[in-house]
Amino acid sequence: MAILAPSILSADYMHFHEDMDRAKCDGAKWLHVDIMDGHFVPNITFGYGWVKAMRKITDLTLDVHLMIDTPIKYAEEFCKAGADYLTIHVEADTPENIHKTIDLIRALGVKPGVVVKPNTPAEAVAPYIEKVDMVLVMTVEPGFGGQKFMAHMMPKLKELRQMIDEKNPGCHLEVDGGVDLITAETCKENGADVLVAGSAFFGSKDRPAFVTAIEK
Ligand code: DX5
Ligand code: ZN
């Protein structure tokens, strides 16, 4: 069974609390939180104070996606703020520091994950596969919601599903970017079990049906 992670990047910021509660009523079990620093990606979003505030008002699984340079500098703050999963980009630091950051996240009791941008091959995940709880494949260039799904990421997704099945079967395989009810099916066929959806979920006229369709 798949899991839907609504991306609160697409929520109504003036009714943020309401949108979070509503996502729970709609049946969502996770929330995806996009952290952008204006360096690693050309956009700026939320800081760890935001995650801390969210943690106070929800028991949903907080899936925090760090799109920031040198995540080792900030990982501890996001763990303390209450992230359940903390995913870092393999492109954001040296392999040595990516290993250290994963170990730090784990030591703080949070589930670590690694993310790959569209131009980063599946092999870039290999050094970390046995020590993470989630691998995230970007199906758009990170930075903005509402972009077009990149179907040509599917061979990479399939390759990572094989790698996970061989080396770390308990690890989640997540997709993020341009996921709607149609592209979600393609992602699931290619091995994804966690699907992030921002604009398609928050723009849906029937959100409970959206959750059911993704998680069936
Ligand atoms: C993009 C973010 C996504 C974004 C997805 O950089 O990582 O999580 O919210 O938005 P949609 O689903 O609208 O493509
Ligand atoms: Zn994201």
Side-chain angles (χ1 to χ4, degrees), residues 111-190:
K111 295 182 174 78
V114 284
V115 193
V116 280
K117 294 209 275 188
N119 288 333
T120 305
E123 304 86 75
V125 172
Y128 316 109
I129 193 82
E130 280 161 85
K131 54 200 286 189
V132 293
D133 289 312
M134 188 146 70
V135 172
L136 167 52
V137 174
M138 292 307 301
T139 41
V140 296
E141 280 301 335
F144 299 92
Q147 301 181 75
K148 193 176 179 300
F149 178 77
M150 294 173 160
H152 61 286
M153 292 299 116
M154 293 304 101
K156 178 161 82 179
L157 192 63
K158 209 168 182 173
E159 205 181 316
L160 284 164
R161 168 46 66 197
Q162 274 169 7
M163 205 190 281
I164 286 172
D165 288 348
E166 279 167 26
K167 304 211 163 141
N168 185 3
C171 180
H172 287 298
L173 181 56
E174 182 178 46
V175 283
D176 184 7
V179 174
D180 59 23
L181 292 180
I182 294 164
T183 56
E185 288 307 312
T186 314
C187 292
K188 286 193 273 183
E189 279 162 20
N190 285 282

Side-chain angles (χ1 to χ4, degrees), residues 7 9 32 34 36 65 67 138 142-146 176-178 196-199:
S7 172
L9 185 68
H32 183 82
D34 288 309
M36 307 187 191
H65 174 193
M67 281 161 275
M138 292 307 301
F144 299 92
D176 184 7
V196 176
S199 46

Side-chain angles (χ1 to χ4, degrees), residues 81-136:
D84 292 295
Y85 284 82
L86 191 61
T87 55
I88 59 169
H89 273 265
V90 300
E91 307 90 355
D93 209 338
T94 60
E96 191 191 350
N97 277 352
I98 296 295
H99 275 291
K100 279 188 191 164
T101 314
I102 292 168
D103 295 342
L104 173 70
I105 295 168
R106 174 79 67 204
L108 290 164
V110 175
K111 295 182 174 78
V114 284
V115 193
V116 280
K117 294 209 275 188
N119 288 333
T120 305
E123 304 86 75
V125 172
Y128 316 109
I129 193 82
E130 280 161 85
K131 54 200 286 189
V132 293
D133 289 312
M134 188 146 70
V135 172
L136 167 52

